[in-house]
Amino acid sequence: MPAPRRRNLLPSQLLHQCQNTGAPMSNPLSEISLLPPFDRMQPDHVEPAIAELIGNCRDVLREGLEQPGWDTTLAPLEEAEDRLTRAFSPVSHLNSVLSGDWRAPYEAALAEVTAYWTEQGQNPELYEVYRRLSETGGFENWPQARKQMIRLGMRDFRLGGVALEGEERERFAANSRRLAELSSRFANNVLDATNAWTYHTSDVEELAGLPVTAIAAAEEAARSRGNEGWTITLDGPSYLAVMTHADNRELRERVYRAFVSRASDVGPQAGKFDNSAVMEEILALRAEQARLLGFGSYAELSVASKMAPDAGEVTRFLEDLAARARPAAEREYADLRLFARESLSLEHLHPWDIPWAAERLKQSRYAISQEELRPYFPYPQVLAGLFSVVEKLFGVTVEEDASVPVWHRDVQFFWLAREGERIAGFYLDPFAREKKRGGAWMASVATRRQAKAGMQLPIAYLVCNFSAATGDTPSLLTHNEVTTLFHEFGHGLHHMLTRVDVAAVSGINGVAWDAVELPSQFLENWCWQPEAIAMISGHYRTGEPLPRALLDKMLAAKNFQSAMFTVRQLEFALFDFLLHSRPAGASVREIQQLLDEVRARVAVVPVIADNRFQHSFSHIFAGGYAAGYYSYKWAEVLSADAFSMFEERGIFDADTGLRFLGSILEQGGSRDALELFTEFRGREPSIEALLRHSGIDAVTTPDVQ
C-alpha cells in the first residue's frame, strides 16, 4: 500500500553538523539536494528546518499574490512547498522505520505541517488565483497536467474548507490539526503494544511444528534481548509462523489473544495502549468536518475525491461482491471444519486453530505449503527476478548504488534507468526489526517535477517486513511475501515511471485513492506465471529453479480458500465504509456493535469476544484509507481486467507492456482514472476477470462504473 498522502509531502536533504568554529550552523533539512543524507540527520535538526521552510512558503505566497498567475504565483509556490515536503518526508519515514528518538520531533513537525496545509487549503486569495486561471481564455489549450492541477486544486480547496468563515473556519482548522495528532497517536499505540509483548521459552519443544527459519528467528530475537532460548513476538513473520505452524495449541491461543487485543481495553496489556478514546475522537471529528463542508457523512466527503461516483455505489459494489463470494466462503469453511474434525481430531475449531488447520488441509489436498516453497525464493533471487520482469515489461533497468547513505545496514538504494539514463531511484528496507512499523508500504522521497534547476527525478521508499537472514542462510520468502514485494514495487513504478512534470499530479499524486492500488495489484499477477516464476525462483543452496511438480501444485492451490479471504476483505471494507457513513461518529460500544453486525452478514470465520481488530486497524485510523478501504477490491477489479489483456496477448507482450506504461504508469494523476483505464483496455472495467481469477463463479457480471 502507498503511505498516506498529505498533499505531496516528500523529503529533502539534510544536515551538516558544523564544528564549533564560529561558522553558522548548517541544517541539511533546510538545504536541497535529491537524496537525504541519512548518515548526518539528527532529530534536533527537525524543528528549526520545518519552521524555516514553512516561513519561506508563506513569504513566497505573499509575494506571489501581488501579481497573480501561473509563473508568478503557482510555480514559485510549488518550488517552495517541494522543499518543505522533501524535508518532512525523511522525518516521517524515520519515525516509521526507527521510531524512538524520531517520534517527538516528527509529531512536533506534523503539527506545524498540518497547520500549514490547512491554512493553504482555506486561503481565499490563493483559491481565487486557481479560479481565475480556470476561467482564463485559452485554458483548455494548456498542457494537460496544468489543467488537471487547477481542476483538482479547486476541488481540494472546497474540501479543505475555503468557503467556511468565522467560527466554522477556525473549527475546521483546529479539527484538522487534532486529527493529525490523533492518527499519529493511534499508530504509536499499535506499535508500542506490538513491541511490548513477547513470549519467551527455554524449551524448544514448545515450538514444535515451526519451520527451521522461524525457530532460528526466535532464537535471534531472544539473543538480541540478552536472553538464551527462544522469543516469540507479535511482529508479522513471528506471529504468522506460530499461527500457521505451531503444533502447540496453547501457544497458538496465547499469541492469538495477544495479537487480536493489541492497543485495546482487553487482553494481556488491557488498557495500557488503549485506542478506544482515540477512535471515538477521530470519528467525531471526521463527522464534524463533513458536516462543516455540507456532507451528510465522512463517507460522502471521502468519495467526493475518488473514482466511485457516490457512496451508494460503493456500498452496492461491496454488498454485491459479498453476495457472490459468501456462499463459496461458507463451503470452504465447512470443508475446513470437516477436515479438522475427521483428520485433526478438533471437534471445535477455535480462531487460533484456523490458520494451522488450513495449512494442513492445503497440504492434504495439494501436497504443498508456503514453507516447502520458501527455499526456492531467497530474497536476493526474488529481487533480481523482479527487476528482470520489470525490464521485460517496461524497458527499464535497475542498478544498486551502495554509495548512497541509508538509515540501517539492511537498506539498499537503487537507480532506475532507461536506455542508460537515470530516470528515478528508490530505497528498499525489506526486513522486520524492533521499533519498525509493521506491514508494507511505498512512500515518496521526491516527486518528478520541472524545478528551477531542471527536471527533478522521482525517488521512493519501499518498505516490507520479511524475516531477515539468519547465520549463513539468506532471507527466504514465502510466496505470499513474494507477492507483497511485487505489490509494493508496483506502487513504486507508478510513482517513478511518471512522465508528468507538475508535482500535484505527478506519480501517485492526484490519482483517485480507489484507483491507486491498480498498478500494485496488477504487478502481483506475474508471481503466478510460470515464465516469471522461473526468473524469481532458485533454491538458495543449489540455484535449482522451482521444480515443475512444485510449480504445478502451487498453481493448483492458488485459489485455496480465496472466497474466505475475499469475504474477510469485504468485512473490513464494509465495516470501514458503514462506520464512516454515520452522521455523528460512534462510541466504542457502537463501533464494536457495527463490526459484529457486519461480521454476521459477511464473515464465515468466528472470532472471540476479546477480538479488538478495530483498535489496530491502522489503515483507517492512522492511514489514508478512512472510508476508502474498499479501494483494495475496487482497484482489484481494474487490475484483474487489465491483466486479462496480457493473458490474451502474452504476459511479456512488449506492445501491451508499453501500452500499460503509456496509459497508466506514465500518466500519474494528470487524467481521470476511468479515462486512463478505458484508454488502455479499450472499454470500461468489468468484474468478470476478478471473479475468474479468484475462482468465484459469477451469476451475473455487471460492469463497475
Side-chain angles (χ1 to χ4, degrees), residues 197-468:
W197 188 93
T198 60
Y199 176 73
H200 182 77
T201 180
S202 56
D203 182 4
V204 73
E205 291 302 316
E206 284 198 67
L207 308 184
L210 263 65
V212 172
T213 52
I215 293 175
E219 188 173 22
E220 177 58 33
R223 187 181 302 114
S224 69
R225 291 166 171 78
N227 299 320
E228 295 182 359
W230 297 266
T231 296
I232 299 298
T233 73
L234 297 182
D235 289 333
S238 179
Y239 171 75
L240 290 173
V242 171
M243 298 312 300
T244 308
H245 300 288
D247 293 332
N248 185 334
R249 197 180 194 190
E250 182 180 340
L251 176 63
R252 295 201 307 268
E253 179 179 359
R254 183 193 296 267
V255 174
Y256 171 85
R257 288 184 179 277
F259 188 83
V260 301
S261 62
R262 287 176 302 160
S264 78
D265 57 326
V266 297
Q269 302 177 74
K272 191 172 182 182
F273 307 103
D274 191 1
N275 269 328
S276 297
V278 179
M279 291 189 298
E280 288 185 337
E281 190 174 356
I282 286 174
L283 292 171
L285 291 176
R286 285 174 178 168
E288 184 176 10
Q289 298 293 76
R291 288 198 304 274
L292 288 170
L293 295 176
F295 292 94
S297 68
Y298 187 81
E300 292 182 8
L301 168 58
S302 174
V303 171
S305 59
K306 292 184 169 63
M307 185 179 175
D310 54 57
E313 182 65 21
V314 173
T315 303
R316 286 190 293 274
F317 166 73
L318 294 174
E319 290 180 340
D320 175 65
L321 191 52
R324 297 170 187 261
R326 195 167 194 259
E330 288 173 334
R331 290 193 297 271
E332 290 174 354
Y333 186 58
D335 288 346
L336 181 63
R337 291 180 63 189
L338 179 63
F339 174 80
R341 184 168 60 250
E342 294 185 347
S343 302
L344 303 176
S345 300
L346 289 178
E347 188 63 32
H348 299 289
L349 199 60
H350 294 294
W352 48 87
D353 298 323
I354 292 171
W356 181 81
E359 181 67 13
R360 273 136 196 84
L361 173 58
K362 185 177 180 180
Q363 291 184 41
S364 171
R365 187 172 292 175
Y366 302 103
I368 189 71
S369 72
Q370 289 284 327
E371 290 305 315
E372 191 175 2
L373 294 169
R374 196 191 283 269
Y376 291 94
F377 292 108
Y379 170 74
Q381 176 63 41
V382 174
L383 192 62
L386 167 61
F387 296 161
S388 297
V389 167
V390 169
E391 181 176 3
K392 287 176 72 70
L393 284 172
F394 307 123
V396 294
T397 57
V398 185
E399 181 181 356
E400 184 177 4
D401 186 345
S403 69
V404 174
V406 295
W407 56 91
H408 189 274
R409 63 181 179 273
D410 291 337
V411 178
Q412 296 171 279
F413 180 84
F414 300 88
W415 291 107
L416 258 66
R418 178 179 284 117
E419 297 179 349
E421 180 182 357
R422 289 178 177 176
I423 59 172
F426 64 96
Y427 296 88
L428 181 55
D429 186 348
F431 305 127
R433 59 179 175 267
E434 193 175 3
K435 296 184 179 180
K436 180 181 176 183
R437 197 182 89 192
W441 67 92
M442 185 282 289
S444 172
V445 182
T447 293
R448 188 180 192 273
R449 55 178 292 273
Q450 184 60 56
K452 277 185 181 179
M455 189 63 68
Q456 178 171 285
L457 299 185
I459 309 292
Y461 300 114
L462 301 177
V463 184
C464 298
N465 272 279
F466 305 141
S467 297

